[in-house]
Amino acid sequence: ALFVFLFVYSGYAQETEPSKMKVLNGITSIKNTVQNQTKEWIDFKHIEGAFTIKMPGKPEEIKKEIPNSSRAGYPPYLLNMYAVIDTVNFTTYLIRYSDYPAGLYLADKSLAFSASIKEMEGKAKIVKAPTVIFKDGNEGRKLDLSIEDYYMQVEMYARGNRMYFLLRQIPADSSVGEDAFFNSFHFDKYTPNKGVPFSVGNISLTMPDKPFKPAGVKTGEGSILKEDNIYYATNKNSGGVYAIESGELTKYTRIKDLDTMYAKFVRGMNEGDDS
C-alpha cells in the first residue's frame, strides 16, 4: 500500500521579543487516508493558500493541529494539507502550507529550512543534497529522499510568515521521470481580507481575524507603561502577522514632548534584530 510521511514543519518560531528563539519539533505520518484518483490532471487553485498547482485529480483536504510547544496557551500550528494518489502510476502527491500562530513569526527562513532538512535526515536517506531554488521570487530548498521502498522528491518555500511543502512519492523501483506537479506550482496574489472590527481603549480599527491576547504579558523593567495590552491576529489569506498594543503611562512619567516619546518607543523597537 502507498504511504507518505508528512514532515511537520520544524521551523524556528520567534516571539515578538527577537532574543527568544524557540523550535517546534515533530513528525507525523498518514497511511491510506487519501482517496485514490485516476482522473485527468486538474488545476488546483487554493484561495486562502494563495497558490495554484496541477494535480492528478481533486485532492483530499487534511487538516492537523500541532500544539504550540514554544508558548503555552498560544494558538496551535495548523497544517493545511492536500493529497491525491495516482493509482495508475503508483504516485502520491501532497502540498501543504502552514502559518505561524498569532503572536509568532518566521524570523529566519534559512534556519527554518535547515531545521526541516535536519529532521528529514533522521527519518530518511537523502539521495540528492538540498539546493537553493526560487519560485516567483520566493526562496526555497529542493532535495530527494528515500525511505523503505519509496523515493520522494521534496520542495519547500518560505513566503512571508508562511511555509509551503511539496512532495511527490513513487515506488523505489520506478523511473523518477517528470510530470506537471512541481513545474506547475505558482504563488497567487493574496486575496483581500475583510477583517473584523476591534476596539482597545479608545482606539477602533479592523483586524484580519479575531485578536488573541497572550496571558501573563507584563511590562518590561524600566518601562514607562504601568499597563500593557497587546493583541495579535493572523491574516488567514496571507499568513501576515498583525499586532496592536495599548498602554497607560505610569503616574510619575514625565515626557518633554510627543516627539521625545515617539523617539523612545522607536529606539525600543530597534534594540532587537527586527529590521
Side-chain angles (χ1 to χ4, degrees):
L2 290 176
F3 73 97
V4 58
F5 281 96
L6 305 183
F7 290 92
V8 177
Y9 171 61
S10 303
Y12 284 82
Q14 183 162 332
E15 305 172 11
T16 52
E17 297 177 34
S19 61
K20 297 181 180 178
M21 189 75 75
K22 305 294 182 180
V23 181
L24 171 69
N25 292 314
I27 184 169
T28 186
S29 64
I30 59 172
K31 184 182 292 185
N32 297 332
T33 61
V34 183
Q35 181 179 359
N36 293 341
Q37 301 281 346
T38 57
K39 299 179 181 179
E40 297 295 327
W41 284 69
I42 65 169
D43 288 322
F44 177 57
K45 183 179 180 65
H46 197 282
I47 302 300
E48 286 189 357
F51 68 85
T52 300
I53 192 170
K54 288 186 178 296
M55 302 187 80
K58 183 179 179 181
E60 178 177 345
E61 180 181 65
I62 307 167
K63 290 185 178 292
K64 185 175 181 63
E65 289 188 355
I66 306 297
N68 193 337
S69 59
S70 65
R71 291 300 298 270
Y74 274 59
Y77 290 78
L78 177 62
L79 305 183
N80 304 280
M81 298 175 282
Y82 303 88
V84 60
I85 297 175
D86 180 350
T87 54
V88 174
N89 298 296
F90 303 102
T91 305
T92 301
Y93 300 85
L94 177 139
I95 180 168
R96 184 193 77 215
Y97 77 91
S98 56
D99 301 325
Y100 275 93
L104 301 177
Y105 66 94
L106 180 59
D108 189 320
K109 59 178 178 291
S110 295
L111 289 176
F113 291 139
S114 296
S116 292
I117 293 169
K118 183 177 181 180
E119 185 169 9
M120 293 181 199
E121 288 179 325
K123 303 296 180 179
K125 178 182 178 181
I126 294 184
V127 179
K128 289 186 180 180
T131 57
V132 178
I133 56 177
F134 288 89
K135 178 74 71 171
D136 300 331
N138 298 287
E139 185 177 341
R141 297 291 185 272
K142 177 181 180 180
L143 67 156
D144 287 9
L145 310 163
S146 66
I147 183 170
E148 296 188 13
D149 297 326
Y150 296 92
Y151 190 93
M152 295 180 290
Q153 297 168 284
V154 171
E155 290 187 6
M156 62 185 81
Y157 297 93
R159 187 189 190 190
N161 201 47
R162 175 174 289 175
M163 294 294 297
Y164 294 81
F165 182 94
L166 290 76
L167 179 144
R168 177 178 181 257
Q169 175 189 277
I170 62 174
D173 57 357
S174 299
S175 174
V176 175
E178 291 187 5
D179 53 37
F181 182 65
F182 290 111
N183 290 335
S184 67
F185 174 69
H186 287 287
F187 294 103
D188 296 331
K189 291 183 178 180
Y190 297 130
T191 302
N193 186 313
K194 294 182 178 179
V196 296
F198 180 69
S199 297
V200 55
N202 59 351
I203 298 174
S204 296
L205 75 166
T206 299
M207 295 286 273
D209 200 358
K210 183 179 179 180
F212 160 74
K213 187 180 189 302
V217 175
K218 299 180 180 179
T219 55
E221 184 178 351
S223 173
I224 64 174
L225 301 177
K226 71 175 183 180
E227 183 181 9
D228 194 8
N229 294 301
I230 186 166
Y231 296 83
Y232 298 105
T234 299
N235 187 333
K236 295 180 180 179
N237 289 350
S238 68
V241 181
Y242 293 73
I244 180 171
E245 186 174 8
S246 173
E248 184 177 345
L249 297 177
T250 60
K251 181 177 180 180
Y252 298 105
T253 296
R254 296 295 182 267
I255 301 295
K256 180 180 178 181
D257 50 41
L258 280 177
D259 286 344
T260 301
M261 185 177 69
Y262 290 141
K264 181 177 179 63
F265 281 112
V266 170
R267 285 197 303 272
M269 288 188 287
N270 287 335
E271 288 175 356
D273 298 327
D274 293 336
S275 60

